[in-house]
Amino acid sequence: MVTVGIPRALFYYYYFPLWRDFFRQLGAEVVLSAPTNKKIVNQGVALAVDEACLPVKLFYGHVVDLIGKVDMIFLPRLVSTARKEYICPKLMGLPDMIKASGIALPKLIEVNIDMSKSDRALKQAALALGRYFTNNELRILRAWNLAKFSQQQFEYLQADSGQLALEALELWNGESDYPRLQRQEERPRIGLLGHGYNIYDRYISMDLIQKLQKLGAQVVTAENIPADIIEEEAARLPKRMFWTLGKRQIGAAFHFLKRPDIIGVIHVASFGCGPDSLVGELIERHMRRAKTMPFLFLTIDEHTGEAGVVTRLEAFWDMISWRDAQCR
Amino acid sequence: MRVYLGIDVGSVSTNLVVMDERREILHSLYLRTQGQPIRTVKQGLVKLQALLDDRYEISGVGTTGSARNLTAVIVGADTVKNEITAHAVAAAHLVPDVQTVLEIGGQDSKIIILRNGVISDFAMNTVCAAGTGSFLDQQAARLGIPVEEFGKLALQAENPVRIAGRCSVFAESDMIHKQQMGHSLPDIIAGLCEALVRNYLNNVGKGKEILSPIVFQGGVAANAGMRQAFSRALGTEVIVPEHFGVMGALGAAILAQETVRQKGNTNFRGMSLVDQEFTTRSFECSGCANACEVIEISMDGQPLARWGDRCGKWENSLSASLKIS
């Protein structure tokens, strides 16, 4: 059986169920790179261009981790996933950067996904992808439909039943047959903003979600908010946000401001993220203007010390608890 | 008489405060950490022992600062608190209606915004330590002036020069340049203070609503030049509390008092701990590719606590009586 390697980085946190089931239906075995560890980070930082943000550097490390373990590596180019919207330019250029890095790569599965003009581009991309395995279009489309169903389940788990991506992904990545589903308890809720590939990666987020849970909080992320609410909230901006990932963050931020059960918001951004330097500023401004929501901005990069993050988190938690106690 | 001990072990200084039940400071010590937190804490305790006779009973201990967890294990602390909360608690105790706390320590600087006695926002310097105590220390040494005199010189300035304060390396070359041009020393030092304040307000204080009463604390508050530069830049009086240098320790002592009030007894090991031998060692765990650096603290050869491992394998393998963090 042919093995397809998927780097456990970037869009893994958004689309893994779709990819896994599509390749499986076409008869391939899917292999993931190891969860981020120090070796992967070091390799990524050494290979990537200096200007890249941490998640992009990390992607290099995950690609290297797969070499020798798989026949092919899946390296899609995501240009746009919605009409008149775009993915960050660094992510668009990622396949080229990887190929130019001098890493001895196995065969690559490449595809261009650009839905900026029409949704039909997605079906074309699926067919192009499928042809790496078979010429039978019917078989490809059947695999695609089944995979889409998986993806819907994954999104449902997050948006409707409040699960966090990392636990929900366990259903697909083979780490657990029973995901450690988060019970929706009456605990203070913290809104956590930030790209999935930053906040769900336990290594580079320095276990931020687990740390918050340990402190006694329930974590709510942008992925836990239904897409129509994100759209509606993001539309309140005077100008349309054309970065899909940024729009998700800003829509979530506006939504958190309205939710009485959210008692604080934390925004995590990676140092060197172009879109976030603008989106982050917008979010911070709106949060400060509202004056009612405790807000913490954390920047992470490969040099970030855990001590600084822990100090800020603890102080943030003290601040919220203190305020909460006084309100009662 | 019941007293409470607060210990703040920072990058540059280690401060100890002993306060009574009414939160009056009886003794305070300001020691240089010099990279040896355990030894410095012990030294501090030995000094306190000489100051406190049998009438005093240490009924609670709190630790804060970057070595708060290490110190907590060694002394047997009742509460371990981050330095932001500790500083805010101390400032709110001394100036109950405080709305802004400016704190500049050895290697970090923070701003804490309080409203109605509760923290509403804070920020800490991120990647850059320009404008903190270490830099002032270094500049004072370079000019051959004791750091205590440094600030007073700034007050004699007639016409502070403009120094580029964005980065401490550039600030230094700019200062040297101004010296070579023939500017007077007080003018340069005053200019440096203004540059550091500008840098602080633009970085740490960015977007914060700085309202008075403003309390300025931390080791750098000793510097008269910095105090003057802050009140000029903010256009209002800046309050420097009497014990400005040990506010973190005071906050830790207050928090210890509150904790002990709730739980009834203290975990303090007693002054005899100064005779015990504490050792730390670190090793690289080879369990997985993370290669975590695990730190182990032992008392007289017996492991007390371990941390540094991401998975908690080492941390949990000890049934430490004290819970870290």
Side-chain angles (χ1 to χ4, degrees), chain A residues 36-39 202-203 206-207 281 288 291 295-296 310-312 314-316 318-319 322-323 326, chain B residues 68 81-85 89 116-122 124-125 207-209 289-291 310 325:
Chain A
T36 307
N37 57 43
K38 200 192 263 174
K39 197 175 145 206
R202 296 189 60 168
Y203 191 94
M206 286 169 279
D207 260 344
E281 183 68 30
R288 300 243 181 268
K291 285 196 174 180
F295 179 72
L296 177 70
V310 171
T311 299
R312 286 173 179 80
E314 285 180 5
F316 187 67
D318 283 345
M319 171 169 111
W322 203 352
R323 188 188 274 220
Q326 218 189 37
Chain B
R68 59 184 179 277
K81 220 18 134 188
N82 63 81
E83 47 274 37
I84 296 167
T85 308
V89 165
N116 307 318
V118 173
I119 305 181
S120 77
D121 199 4
F122 64 84
M124 233 170 127
N125 60 333
K208 303 276 181 278
E209 200 185 15
N290 278 334
R310 278 174 181 267
S325 80

